Amino acid sequence: MNIKNIIQCRIGFFAALLAIIIIIYPLGYSLTDYAIANDRAEAQPFLERTAPEITDCVEDTIYMRYHHWELLGKIREEIVRYGKRGDVSLDTCKKCHTSRVKFCNKCHDAISMTPDCFGCHYYP
Amino acid sequence: MEIIFEKLEGKSLAYRMAMLVFAAFAVGGLISTWIVIEKGICVTGMTNRVPWGLQIVMAIYYIGLSAGSLVISGLYGVFGKQEYKPFARIAVWIAMLFLIAGMLSILTDQGRMDRVFVEPFVHFNLQSMFSINPILYSGHIFICVVYLWALFTERKRFTTIIATIAFGWAFCVHSGTGAIFGFGARVLYESPLLPVSFVTAAMASGTALMILLIVGLFKITKRYLDDRLILWLGQFLAVCILVVVYFLFIENAYRAYVVELRPAAMYYLFEGLHSILFWVGLILIGCVIPMFILFRKKTGQTIKWIVFASSLVVFGVICERYVIVLPGLTHPQEILTGMHITQSAIQEGVANYTISLAEIAQALGVFGVIGFLFLWGMKFFKLMPTEAVIYDQIGMIKRNEYQKRREAKSIKSSE
Amino acid sequence: MDRRDFMKMTGGTILAVSSGTYAFQFLVASGRSVSGDNIAAGTVRWGMVIDLNKCIEGCTACLDACRTENNVAFHGDNRWDVHWIRKVKAEQKIGTESKEKSILLLCNHCDKPPCAQVCPVQATYKRNDGIVIVDHHRCIGCRYCMIACPYNARYFNMKDSEHWQNEERPKRSHGVAEACTLCAHRLDTGRQPACVEACNNTGAGVLFVGNLNDSDSEVSQLIADRPTKRLREELGTEPKVHYIGL
Ligand code: SF4
């Protein structure tokens, strides 16, 4: 059996493999980048305390780092759909993390992700 | 006798050129869709007064074609007409592709295409026709795939079952599409008759398209096609058109008769560009001339005339879709009862809609994608019958004559 | 492996992946659901009363206030402009004295909103306090609501708006539909909508917003005392914007 035959026999297998790789490629890409981003010096988030009365974030750092989108999504759901305007919103973030370029974009750029938020919500 | 299906060679110049043209259309559509995504709907001709345009027209047109061509395959699958077996596979394949075309048209029409794949499935609204229809559509595609599989594997009983399901489903699909408009709030949309007339128009356009396609394919690939098959389809088409005209008449007569709706009916029938499309495009070109051709003994029994009539119908039904969608939107809604607005910041009164280049490119793009897929499928799957014969005495005699002629010709050319 | 098996395998893979994705989406969606409303149904029902007799000719205070408060897009082209509230001039079709009237038109926050009924993703919905609102995070831009609304009160963001007049409030990306929200963000925090505030500042006092369920509120009193009309009541959408002197 020559090499051509082998390739022909396995063509389905290769195609399936290729499909799977294509499907999971972006996921793996962002995951590895995510891990790298956590170590990079330039990806360290920037913090500026303009409101001295606030000493702590609404949740702890690790939670915020890995789940802040979930929290924001939940708050969004409560505000937009149920009118529950509590004391936490996207504006709360602005109080300490005053700059999007220096804070949000650090990680977002590193993992090449563009959230939809800032097209409509003002965040300097 | 066994009917042998085969793949197309796909090496001829015509095939390659067609592929190239379709691919070019598809690329054009992709580019214009990208522009729409980047810049917003403002590059199309749609405005705040006329929020739906050519893409929706084409979407319902494609879905109609899909439902209609499934009817042709149903002739074999449901009603057991053996002589139509050669066309069954092509018909189902076309039905599937045109439904995909309809969904593509709707998809490229959305403002936020990125959300279309998630939100409608997660947040389902049972009250919305727009929410129910995607289920019908995707179910239709799925049924078509199963149907094709049944046809390919030659399962007799299963084919009948799935064909019956597909037949019924196609009716649901198209009634549902009609219900998007028929159950709407606009004066010119609101009509319980609309879903039904949608189905009839779909049958007419689907049959016409299948006639065009079958005759064209058999001619280009030089296969034998028994005339009587097409003649019967021609008569079927004529009856379909008759029903369409009947529904159109009832609908408009109702509107013109009821005092409340009379201004709207007058607007629909006699004002603006759409009334020209209605009278010339739909009534004259789409209905009267084809019916005249098909019902007349002399012309109704000639393939050439039937093909001509079918192409007229295919065009006429586009006009029909246009005059369903757009007049209803451009017709002003009466917001203030008994008053007329003299000054406003938006377009009041009759709104105008001009088809823009971007929309045409998108519509052609969808067509290109589907054409490309169709030709590719013809090469990849065994869709094309070697011949379409009616196995009775006359049919066999005719076929043998044809073969003799072919042989004589080939001998001649080889000399 | 021949082509048949290849097809089977690819088909199987696609099926598995897509069904997995959907299952995942449903799981995520169920995990994220937020329950509980700010107000129990039936306690508050926001409504509006517009006293057209007092409306000043040529005044655009409420329109401007709405535009700046909510970053409503304005492009200077009547095909794409968005108007949450707009002022039209209209005259009676029949009648001896044909006096032109200025009429304010806005979303009526129908009690039975056809726009919410047809929304395929439940982006348009009626809150428990009766405000009909669009969730712009969810809207897919199908524009079915614009077709269903009998008042032409819905608008579509055909284009991105460049100006960001009020940085506190979001603007909208292109590709989503929108309409008046009755300034729900203000009502939730106990303030009056921007248009009402602006109108009161000019001293005209045309617009009133209040609780229709509370018979002591200003709007209920006005509706009880004065002859009011709603737009196209015969449709059965039960609009909550009442006009005096239409
Ligand atoms: S006025 Fe139109 S947009 Fe407002 S709630 Fe009624 S139907 Fe919906």
mmCIF file of all heavy atoms in Angstrom, chain A residues 6-43:
data_model
loop_
_atom_site.group_PDB
_atom_site.id
_atom_site.type_symbol
_atom_site.label_atom_id
_atom_site.label_comp_id
_atom_site.label_asym_id
_atom_site.label_seq_id
_atom_site.Cartn_x
_atom_site.Cartn_y
_atom_site.Cartn_z
ATOM 1 N N ILE A 6 -2.882 5.320 1.546
ATOM 2 C CA ILE A 6 -3.081 5.566 2.977
ATOM 3 C C ILE A 6 -3.810 6.889 3.180
ATOM 4 O O ILE A 6 -4.781 6.983 3.937
ATOM 5 C CB ILE A 6 -1.728 5.583 3.708
ATOM 6 C CG1 ILE A 6 -1.134 4.188 3.690
ATOM 7 C CG2 ILE A 6 -1.898 6.073 5.135
ATOM 8 C CD1 ILE A 6 0.246 4.096 4.236
ATOM 9 N N ILE A 7 -3.361 7.887 2.449
ATOM 10 C CA ILE A 7 -3.993 9.193 2.600
ATOM 11 C C ILE A 7 -5.454 9.123 2.200
ATOM 12 O O ILE A 7 -6.336 9.650 2.865
ATOM 13 C CB ILE A 7 -3.239 10.247 1.764
ATOM 14 C CG1 ILE A 7 -1.893 10.529 2.429
ATOM 15 C CG2 ILE A 7 -4.034 11.550 1.674
ATOM 16 C CD1 ILE A 7 -1.006 11.416 1.649
ATOM 17 N N GLN A 8 -5.699 8.377 1.119
ATOM 18 C CA GLN A 8 -7.087 8.278 0.676
ATOM 19 C C GLN A 8 -7.956 7.554 1.694
ATOM 20 O O GLN A 8 -9.095 7.913 1.929
ATOM 21 C CB GLN A 8 -7.151 7.558 -0.663
ATOM 22 C CG GLN A 8 -7.227 8.553 -1.809
ATOM 23 C CD GLN A 8 -7.157 7.895 -3.144
ATOM 24 O OE1 GLN A 8 -7.132 6.671 -3.218
ATOM 25 N NE2 GLN A 8 -7.114 8.691 -4.177
ATOM 26 N N CYS A 9 -7.385 6.520 2.291
ATOM 27 C CA CYS A 9 -8.146 5.772 3.287
ATOM 28 C C CYS A 9 -8.481 6.639 4.476
ATOM 29 O O CYS A 9 -9.561 6.563 5.039
ATOM 30 C CB CYS A 9 -7.340 4.580 3.785
ATOM 31 S SG CYS A 9 -7.304 3.250 2.621
ATOM 32 N N ARG A 10 -7.543 7.471 4.862
ATOM 33 C CA ARG A 10 -7.711 8.226 6.092
ATOM 34 C C ARG A 10 -8.336 9.588 5.852
ATOM 35 O O ARG A 10 -8.378 10.405 6.760
ATOM 36 C CB ARG A 10 -6.354 8.392 6.778
ATOM 37 C CG ARG A 10 -5.738 7.106 7.226
ATOM 38 C CD ARG A 10 -6.271 6.686 8.590
ATOM 39 N NE ARG A 10 -5.829 5.341 8.901
ATOM 40 C CZ ARG A 10 -6.544 4.262 8.624
ATOM 41 N NH1 ARG A 10 -7.723 4.360 8.047
ATOM 42 N NH2 ARG A 10 -6.083 3.057 8.933
ATOM 43 N N ILE A 11 -8.796 9.810 4.635
ATOM 44 C CA ILE A 11 -9.194 11.191 4.318
ATOM 45 C C ILE A 11 -10.334 11.677 5.205
ATOM 46 O O ILE A 11 -10.334 12.816 5.682
ATOM 47 C CB ILE A 11 -9.530 11.319 2.823
ATOM 48 C CG1 ILE A 11 -9.695 12.784 2.451
ATOM 49 C CG2 ILE A 11 -10.786 10.561 2.457
ATOM 50 C CD1 ILE A 11 -9.514 13.035 0.990
ATOM 51 N N GLY A 12 -11.260 10.744 5.486
ATOM 52 C CA GLY A 12 -12.368 11.130 6.346
ATOM 53 C C GLY A 12 -11.890 11.501 7.730
ATOM 54 O O GLY A 12 -12.292 12.508 8.299
ATOM 55 N N PHE A 13 -10.969 10.684 8.228
ATOM 56 C CA PHE A 13 -10.432 10.946 9.550
ATOM 57 C C PHE A 13 -9.763 12.308 9.604
ATOM 58 O O PHE A 13 -9.996 13.114 10.499
ATOM 59 C CB PHE A 13 -9.433 9.839 9.889
ATOM 60 C CG PHE A 13 -8.744 10.038 11.197
ATOM 61 C CD1 PHE A 13 -9.443 9.887 12.376
ATOM 62 C CD2 PHE A 13 -7.417 10.403 11.241
ATOM 63 C CE1 PHE A 13 -8.815 10.078 13.582
ATOM 64 C CE2 PHE A 13 -6.790 10.599 12.450
ATOM 65 C CZ PHE A 13 -7.479 10.437 13.618
ATOM 66 N N PHE A 14 -8.932 12.576 8.569
ATOM 67 C CA PHE A 14 -8.236 13.856 8.534
ATOM 68 C C PHE A 14 -9.217 15.008 8.453
ATOM 69 O O PHE A 14 -9.047 16.030 9.127
ATOM 70 C CB PHE A 14 -7.290 13.914 7.325
ATOM 71 C CG PHE A 14 -6.019 13.161 7.566
ATOM 72 C CD1 PHE A 14 -5.552 12.234 6.649
ATOM 73 C CD2 PHE A 14 -5.292 13.363 8.728
ATOM 74 C CE1 PHE A 14 -4.397 11.536 6.867
ATOM 75 C CE2 PHE A 14 -4.131 12.660 8.951
ATOM 76 C CZ PHE A 14 -3.679 11.743 8.026
ATOM 77 N N ALA A 15 -10.247 14.811 7.656
ATOM 78 C CA ALA A 15 -11.218 15.898 7.501
ATOM 79 C C ALA A 15 -11.911 16.191 8.822
ATOM 80 O O ALA A 15 -12.053 17.351 9.221
ATOM 81 C CB ALA A 15 -12.254 15.521 6.451
ATOM 82 N N ALA A 16 -12.301 15.123 9.525
ATOM 83 C CA ALA A 16 -12.966 15.321 10.810
ATOM 84 C C ALA A 16 -12.032 16.022 11.788
ATOM 85 O O ALA A 16 -12.419 16.950 12.507
ATOM 86 C CB ALA A 16 -13.423 13.990 11.376
ATOM 87 N N LEU A 17 -10.770 15.588 11.764
ATOM 88 C CA LEU A 17 -9.786 16.193 12.654
ATOM 89 C C LEU A 17 -9.649 17.681 12.353
ATOM 90 O O LEU A 17 -9.654 18.522 13.259
ATOM 91 C CB LEU A 17 -8.440 15.488 12.457
ATOM 92 C CG LEU A 17 -7.479 15.590 13.629
ATOM 93 C CD1 LEU A 17 -8.002 14.771 14.794
ATOM 94 C CD2 LEU A 17 -6.106 15.099 13.220
ATOM 95 N N LEU A 18 -9.567 17.970 11.067
ATOM 96 C CA LEU A 18 -9.418 19.361 10.639
ATOM 97 C C LEU A 18 -10.606 20.183 11.117
ATOM 98 O O LEU A 18 -10.450 21.283 11.653
ATOM 99 C CB LEU A 18 -9.324 19.412 9.115
ATOM 100 C CG LEU A 18 -8.782 20.717 8.553
ATOM 101 C CD1 LEU A 18 -7.309 20.836 8.871
ATOM 102 C CD2 LEU A 18 -9.015 20.770 7.058
ATOM 103 N N ALA A 19 -11.808 19.602 10.933
ATOM 104 C CA ALA A 19 -13.018 20.320 11.345
ATOM 105 C C ALA A 19 -12.964 20.630 12.830
ATOM 106 O O ALA A 19 -13.229 21.751 13.271
ATOM 107 C CB ALA A 19 -14.261 19.489 11.024
ATOM 108 N N ILE A 20 -12.579 19.616 13.626
ATOM 109 C CA ILE A 20 -12.541 19.818 15.074
ATOM 110 C C ILE A 20 -11.516 20.887 15.427
ATOM 111 O O ILE A 20 -11.783 21.781 16.245
ATOM 112 C CB ILE A 20 -12.229 18.488 15.782
ATOM 113 C CG1 ILE A 20 -13.421 17.539 15.615
ATOM 114 C CG2 ILE A 20 -11.939 18.716 17.256
ATOM 115 C CD1 ILE A 20 -13.150 16.147 16.065
ATOM 116 N N ILE A 21 -10.346 20.809 14.770
ATOM 117 C CA ILE A 21 -9.313 21.808 15.073
ATOM 118 C C ILE A 21 -9.821 23.199 14.743
ATOM 119 O O ILE A 21 -9.667 24.135 15.532
ATOM 120 C CB ILE A 21 -8.028 21.490 14.286
ATOM 121 C CG1 ILE A 21 -7.357 20.257 14.869
ATOM 122 C CG2 ILE A 21 -7.064 22.682 14.333
ATOM 123 C CD1 ILE A 21 -6.194 19.761 14.074
ATOM 124 N N ILE A 22 -10.485 23.330 13.590
ATOM 125 C CA ILE A 22 -10.986 24.649 13.206
ATOM 126 C C ILE A 22 -12.002 25.144 14.219
ATOM 127 O O ILE A 22 -12.012 26.315 14.600
ATOM 128 C CB ILE A 22 -11.619 24.588 11.800
ATOM 129 C CG1 ILE A 22 -10.516 24.445 10.763
ATOM 130 C CG2 ILE A 22 -12.423 25.849 11.507
ATOM 131 C CD1 ILE A 22 -11.011 24.193 9.384
ATOM 132 N N ILE A 23 -12.831 24.211 14.698
ATOM 133 C CA ILE A 23 -13.863 24.637 15.638
ATOM 134 C C ILE A 23 -13.260 25.076 16.963
ATOM 135 O O ILE A 23 -13.626 26.111 17.519
ATOM 136 C CB ILE A 23 -14.889 23.504 15.847
ATOM 137 C CG1 ILE A 23 -15.729 23.334 14.587
ATOM 138 C CG2 ILE A 23 -15.799 23.797 17.024
ATOM 139 C CD1 ILE A 23 -16.521 22.074 14.555
ATOM 140 N N ILE A 24 -12.302 24.293 17.470
ATOM 141 C CA ILE A 24 -11.811 24.643 18.810
ATOM 142 C C ILE A 24 -10.631 25.598 18.769
ATOM 143 O O ILE A 24 -10.196 26.068 19.805
ATOM 144 C CB ILE A 24 -11.428 23.395 19.643
ATOM 145 C CG1 ILE A 24 -10.261 22.660 19.003
ATOM 146 C CG2 ILE A 24 -12.620 22.501 19.861
ATOM 147 C CD1 ILE A 24 -9.696 21.575 19.886
ATOM 148 N N TYR A 25 -10.149 25.929 17.582
ATOM 149 C CA TYR A 25 -8.964 26.769 17.502
ATOM 150 C C TYR A 25 -9.121 28.106 18.228
ATOM 151 O O TYR A 25 -8.288 28.451 19.062
ATOM 152 C CB TYR A 25 -8.594 26.985 16.031
ATOM 153 C CG TYR A 25 -7.583 28.048 15.805
ATOM 154 C CD1 TYR A 25 -6.247 27.824 16.131
ATOM 155 C CD2 TYR A 25 -7.947 29.296 15.299
ATOM 156 C CE1 TYR A 25 -5.314 28.800 15.945
ATOM 157 C CE2 TYR A 25 -7.016 30.278 15.111
ATOM 158 C CZ TYR A 25 -5.695 30.030 15.432
ATOM 159 O OH TYR A 25 -4.777 31.011 15.254
ATOM 160 N N PRO A 26 -10.194 28.858 17.956
ATOM 161 C CA PRO A 26 -10.300 30.158 18.626
ATOM 162 C C PRO A 26 -10.361 30.029 20.133
ATOM 163 O O PRO A 26 -9.796 30.846 20.871
ATOM 164 C CB PRO A 26 -11.608 30.741 18.099
ATOM 165 C CG PRO A 26 -12.075 29.839 17.055
ATOM 166 C CD PRO A 26 -11.336 28.570 17.122
ATOM 167 N N LEU A 27 -11.022 28.959 20.578
ATOM 168 C CA LEU A 27 -11.156 28.743 22.020
ATOM 169 C C LEU A 27 -9.784 28.550 22.659
ATOM 170 O O LEU A 27 -9.418 29.238 23.618
ATOM 171 C CB LEU A 27 -12.025 27.507 22.234
ATOM 172 C CG LEU A 27 -12.620 27.342 23.605
ATOM 173 C CD1 LEU A 27 -13.690 28.388 23.799
ATOM 174 C CD2 LEU A 27 -13.210 25.960 23.750
ATOM 175 N N GLY A 28 -9.024 27.645 22.068
ATOM 176 C CA GLY A 28 -7.707 27.370 22.615
ATOM 177 C C GLY A 28 -6.820 28.592 22.548
ATOM 178 O O GLY A 28 -6.096 28.912 23.483
ATOM 179 N N TYR A 29 -6.948 29.307 21.466
ATOM 180 C CA TYR A 29 -6.158 30.504 21.256
ATOM 181 C C TYR A 29 -6.384 31.490 22.382
ATOM 182 O O TYR A 29 -5.468 31.982 23.023
ATOM 183 C CB TYR A 29 -6.568 31.105 19.920
ATOM 184 C CG TYR A 29 -5.845 32.343 19.525
ATOM 185 C CD1 TYR A 29 -4.538 32.282 19.065
ATOM 186 C CD2 TYR A 29 -6.475 33.577 19.589
ATOM 187 C CE1 TYR A 29 -3.875 33.419 18.689
ATOM 188 C CE2 TYR A 29 -5.825 34.720 19.206
ATOM 189 C CZ TYR A 29 -4.517 34.649 18.758
ATOM 190 O OH TYR A 29 -3.880 35.776 18.389
ATOM 191 N N SER A 30 -7.663 31.725 22.665
ATOM 192 C CA SER A 30 -7.929 32.726 23.697
ATOM 193 C C SER A 30 -7.580 32.190 25.075
ATOM 194 O O SER A 30 -7.147 32.939 25.943
ATOM 195 C CB SER A 30 -9.384 33.169 23.636
ATOM 196 O OG SER A 30 -10.215 32.062 23.771
ATOM 197 N N LEU A 31 -7.734 30.883 25.275
ATOM 198 C CA LEU A 31 -7.409 30.332 26.591
ATOM 199 C C LEU A 31 -5.927 30.468 26.892
ATOM 200 O O LEU A 31 -5.545 30.915 27.971
ATOM 201 C CB LEU A 31 -7.821 28.865 26.664
ATOM 202 C CG LEU A 31 -9.280 28.619 26.998
ATOM 203 C CD1 LEU A 31 -9.551 27.137 27.092
ATOM 204 C CD2 LEU A 31 -9.663 29.301 28.301
ATOM 205 N N THR A 32 -5.103 30.106 25.928
ATOM 206 C CA THR A 32 -3.665 30.224 26.177
ATOM 207 C C THR A 32 -3.293 31.670 26.387
ATOM 208 O O THR A 32 -2.542 32.016 27.289
ATOM 209 C CB THR A 32 -2.860 29.661 25.003
ATOM 210 O OG1 THR A 32 -3.439 30.147 23.803
ATOM 211 C CG2 THR A 32 -2.832 28.167 25.009
ATOM 212 N N ASP A 33 -3.867 32.528 25.553
ATOM 213 C CA ASP A 33 -3.553 33.936 25.681
ATOM 214 C C ASP A 33 -3.993 34.472 27.022
ATOM 215 O O ASP A 33 -3.353 35.330 27.614
ATOM 216 C CB ASP A 33 -4.242 34.722 24.565
ATOM 217 C CG ASP A 33 -3.223 35.224 23.585
ATOM 218 O OD1 ASP A 33 -2.073 34.771 23.716
ATOM 219 O OD2 ASP A 33 -3.561 36.036 22.728
ATOM 220 N N TYR A 34 -5.117 33.936 27.473
ATOM 221 C CA TYR A 34 -5.652 34.362 28.751
ATOM 222 C C TYR A 34 -4.658 34.035 29.862
ATOM 223 O O TYR A 34 -4.369 34.861 30.726
ATOM 224 C CB TYR A 34 -6.968 33.626 28.969
ATOM 225 C CG TYR A 34 -7.753 34.159 30.111
ATOM 226 C CD1 TYR A 34 -8.420 35.368 29.987
ATOM 227 C CD2 TYR A 34 -7.830 33.458 31.306
ATOM 228 C CE1 TYR A 34 -9.140 35.860 31.031
ATOM 229 C CE2 TYR A 34 -8.556 33.955 32.350
ATOM 230 C CZ TYR A 34 -9.210 35.151 32.210
ATOM 231 O OH TYR A 34 -9.914 35.639 33.246
ATOM 232 N N ALA A 35 -4.125 32.820 29.783
ATOM 233 C CA ALA A 35 -3.149 32.417 30.787
ATOM 234 C C ALA A 35 -1.919 33.298 30.720
ATOM 235 O O ALA A 35 -1.384 33.733 31.742
ATOM 236 C CB ALA A 35 -2.765 30.958 30.565
ATOM 237 N N ILE A 36 -1.493 33.594 29.492
ATOM 238 C CA ILE A 36 -0.306 34.435 29.345
ATOM 239 C C ILE A 36 -0.585 35.828 29.876
ATOM 240 O O ILE A 36 0.222 36.414 30.592
ATOM 241 C CB ILE A 36 0.105 34.506 27.862
ATOM 242 C CG1 ILE A 36 0.538 33.118 27.385
ATOM 243 C CG2 ILE A 36 1.250 35.486 27.665
ATOM 244 C CD1 ILE A 36 0.630 33.004 25.897
ATOM 245 N N ALA A 37 -1.783 36.318 29.552
ATOM 246 C CA ALA A 37 -2.107 37.683 29.925
ATOM 247 C C ALA A 37 -2.027 37.895 31.428
ATOM 248 O O ALA A 37 -1.680 38.975 31.895
ATOM 249 C CB ALA A 37 -3.504 38.030 29.430
ATOM 250 N N ASN A 38 -2.331 36.839 32.172
ATOM 251 C CA ASN A 38 -2.292 36.989 33.618
ATOM 252 C C ASN A 38 -0.879 37.206 34.135
ATOM 253 O O ASN A 38 -0.692 37.756 35.201
ATOM 254 C CB ASN A 38 -2.895 35.749 34.261
ATOM 255 C CG ASN A 38 -4.384 35.902 34.363
ATOM 256 O OD1 ASN A 38 -4.875 36.992 34.577
ATOM 257 N ND2 ASN A 38 -5.103 34.805 34.195
ATOM 258 N N ASP A 39 0.087 36.720 33.369
ATOM 259 C CA ASP A 39 1.458 36.860 33.829
ATOM 260 C C ASP A 39 2.145 38.101 33.294
ATOM 261 O O ASP A 39 3.117 38.563 33.866
ATOM 262 C CB ASP A 39 2.263 35.621 33.400
ATOM 263 C CG ASP A 39 1.850 34.421 34.214
ATOM 264 O OD1 ASP A 39 1.247 34.652 35.284
ATOM 265 O OD2 ASP A 39 2.103 33.290 33.794
ATOM 266 N N ARG A 40 1.645 38.616 32.241
ATOM 267 C CA ARG A 40 2.338 39.733 31.614
ATOM 268 C C ARG A 40 2.324 40.958 32.507
ATOM 269 O O ARG A 40 1.316 41.306 33.109
ATOM 270 C CB ARG A 40 1.651 40.093 30.296
ATOM 271 C CG ARG A 40 2.123 39.247 29.156
ATOM 272 C CD ARG A 40 1.830 39.973 27.869
ATOM 273 N NE ARG A 40 1.746 38.984 26.807
ATOM 274 C CZ ARG A 40 0.782 38.941 25.919
ATOM 275 N NH1 ARG A 40 -0.186 39.808 25.961
ATOM 276 N NH2 ARG A 40 0.779 38.028 24.987
ATOM 277 N N ALA A 41 3.442 41.639 32.511
ATOM 278 C CA ALA A 41 3.542 42.825 33.348
ATOM 279 C C ALA A 41 2.644 43.930 32.814
ATOM 280 O O ALA A 41 1.942 44.595 33.557
ATOM 281 C CB ALA A 41 4.985 43.312 33.390
ATOM 282 N N GLU A 42 2.632 44.060 31.489
ATOM 283 C CA GLU A 42 1.860 45.170 30.942
ATOM 284 C C GLU A 42 0.367 44.931 31.044
ATOM 285 O O GLU A 42 -0.427 45.835 30.849
ATOM 286 C CB GLU A 42 2.257 45.453 29.487
ATOM 287 C CG GLU A 42 1.774 44.442 28.492
ATOM 288 C CD GLU A 42 2.818 43.382 28.192
ATOM 289 O OE1 GLU A 42 3.650 43.071 29.074
ATOM 290 O OE2 GLU A 42 2.800 42.860 27.089
ATOM 291 N N ALA A 43 -0.011 43.705 31.337
ATOM 292 C CA ALA A 43 -1.431 43.427 31.448
ATOM 293 C C ALA A 43 -1.937 43.643 32.860
ATOM 294 O O ALA A 43 -3.070 43.319 33.160
ATOM 295 C CB ALA A 43 -1.718 42.010 31.001
#
